[in-house]
Amino acid sequence: MERKLLWVISSLVILILWLKIEPQGTEQAGSETLSTEPVKTEAPIKEPAQNSREAIVTEEEEAYFKSHPIDESKPDFAAIEDVQKRKAAFFGYLLPFVQEKNALLLEDRARIQTILDSPEPPSREDKTWIAALRKIHKLRKLGVYTHEDISVLLKYVDIIPASLVLAQAANESAWGTSRFALEGNNYFGQWCFTHGCGIVPNARGEDQDHEVRKFSDARESVFAYIDNLNSNSAYKELRNIRAELRENKQTITGLALVHGLENYSQRGQDYIDEIESLIDYNELWRFNVHTDEATNNE
C-alpha cells in the first residue's frame, strides 16, 4: 500500500514538473531561433556602374555625323619609317576631330550660359535641349529646372585639351598601328558590351564579355572618348579639376587634367605618369588652340 502511494505521489510530482518546465523550454527554443536567425532586409537596388572605358555614341551625335560627313581614309602609320614624320602624321590626322568636338562643346557651354543669364525662364525648346543634355550626362530627369539644375551642366559640358587627347590616343593605339585602330578605328581602347559590337581582345578572360568597340571612323572614336571623360562617374575628379580651373580663371591643361585619369587604366599612377611624359616629351600643349572668355588652354 505504501509502495503504491509513493508511486502515485511520484507520478504527480513528475507531471507537475513537466507542466512547469515544458512551456519554458518551448519559449527558450523560440527565443534562440529569433536571436540566431538573421533578419532579412531588402537590399537597396544599385545601378550597375558604367565601365570606365565604355564607349557610347549618342543619337544626337549619330545625326551630326550623318549631316557632316568626312573623308574616312587614313594614313598608313606603320609604313612611315621616320619616327618624327609618323608622329606628325598621327597628330595631324586626329587633331581636326579634337578641335571639332571642342568647338561643339564650347557652343553648348555658350548656350547654357545664355539661358542662365536670361531673366526669362527657359523656352520649351531650351527645356527639351537641357533634358537631352542631362540624359547624355546621366543626370536624373526633372520636371522643373532651377538655376542650379542648369548650371551644373557646365561641369560636364566642357573641352578636353588636345594635348591630353593626343597623348592618350598615341599611348592606347601605339601611334595608330594597333589592331583596334586598324580594324575598328578605335584609338582609345574603348569598350562595348553587346555581342558583335566590336573586336574581341585576344587576352580577354573567360569571365569577361566586353569587346573593343568598332567605329565608322576616327572622328567617332574621338567624340566617344571625350564624351566618356565628360560623363562617366569614373572621371569625376577630372571634371572637378577642370571646374576648379574655370572657377579660378586658370588655364585648362592636359597636364592638369591627367591627374583625373586614375581609373582609366588598372596601372593607376604609372599610367598617369606615362601620359604626362608623352605630353611633355612631345610638347603637345602646342596643339591646344581653343579659347573662350574664361580661360586660355595651355
Side-chain angles (χ1 to χ4, degrees), residues 12 18 30 93 113 115 149 181 203 221-222 253 263 278 285 289 293:
L12 289 172
W18 182 84
Y93 175 59
Q113 195 61 56
I115 294 171
D149 296 328
S221 181
V222 170
T253 69
N263 293 320
L278 273 167
W285 56 79
V289 297
E293 294 178 358

Side-chain angles (χ1 to χ4, degrees), residues 153-179:
L153 286 168
L154 292 173
K155 197 168 188 176
Y156 296 84
V157 182
D158 207 343
I159 64 168
I160 300 295
S163 58
L164 183 61
V165 183
L166 296 176
Q168 279 203 270
N171 180 279
E172 295 288 340
S173 72
W175 298 93
T177 65
S178 72
R179 172 191 173 205

Side-chain angles (χ1 to χ4, degrees), residues 234-252:
Y235 308 114
K236 181 179 179 180
E237 180 59 23
L238 181 147
R239 295 190 293 273
N240 286 339
I241 294 171
R242 184 176 60 188
E244 186 175 352
L245 292 171
R246 285 277 187 192
E247 180 69 21
N248 296 325
K249 300 188 183 303
Q250 294 178 327
T251 301
I252 296 177

Side-chain angles (χ1 to χ4, degrees), residues 106-127:
L106 290 179
E107 287 178 10
D108 285 345
R109 281 185 66 85
R111 182 173 177 180
I112 294 169
Q113 195 61 56
T114 297
I115 294 171
L116 290 170
D117 293 341
S118 174
E120 301 296 325
S123 66
R124 180 178 298 179
E125 182 182 355
D126 285 336
K127 288 179 181 178

Side-chain angles (χ1 to χ4, degrees), residues 43-216:
I45 298 174
K46 293 183 179 180
E47 294 293 331
Q50 184 185 357
N51 185 280
S52 63
R53 288 190 176 228
E54 186 170 356
I56 296 176
V57 178
T58 66
E59 293 179 2
E60 291 80 5
E61 284 179 333
E62 288 179 351
Y64 175 82
F65 295 148
K66 289 180 181 178
S67 62
H68 296 76
I70 63 171
D71 180 2
E72 296 181 9
S73 62
K74 55 185 175 183
D76 182 357
F77 298 112
I80 305 174
E81 296 182 0
D82 184 277
V83 174
Q84 294 306 317
K85 289 182 179 179
R86 181 189 301 174
K87 287 184 176 183
F90 182 79
F91 297 144
Y93 175 59
L94 291 181
L95 183 60
F97 307 137
V98 183
Q99 294 173 335
E100 183 179 6
K101 178 61 174 177
N102 280 337
L104 292 170
L105 287 166
L106 290 179
E107 287 178 10
D108 285 345
R109 281 185 66 85
R111 182 173 177 180
I112 294 169
Q113 195 61 56
T114 297
I115 294 171
L116 290 170
D117 293 341
S118 174
E120 301 296 325
S123 66
R124 180 178 298 179
E125 182 182 355
D126 285 336
K127 288 179 181 178
T128 300
W129 181 71
I130 291 169
L133 276 183
R134 289 183 64 88
K135 182 179 179 181
I136 289 170
H137 297 294
K138 302 170 184 62
L139 300 173
R140 63 189 178 90
K141 186 177 180 180
L142 299 173
V144 178
Y145 297 109
T146 65
H147 189 279
E148 184 179 358
D149 296 328
I150 300 172
S151 62
V152 75
L153 286 168
L154 292 173
K155 197 168 188 176
Y156 296 84
V157 182
D158 207 343
I159 64 168
I160 300 295
S163 58
L164 183 61
V165 183
L166 296 176
Q168 279 203 270
N171 180 279
E172 295 288 340
S173 72
W175 298 93
T177 65
S178 72
R179 172 191 173 205
F180 304 127
L182 295 173
E183 297 179 18
N185 292 304
N186 191 326
Y187 292 83
F188 302 92
Q190 299 158 102
W191 292 3
C192 56
F193 296 88
T194 303
H195 179 69
C197 63
I199 304 166
V200 177
N202 293 328
R204 188 179 74 174
E206 292 183 1
D207 59 337
Q208 296 178 310
D209 60 357
H210 71 277
E211 298 180 13
V212 177
R213 174 149 188 172
K214 278 187 176 182
F215 294 99
S216 298

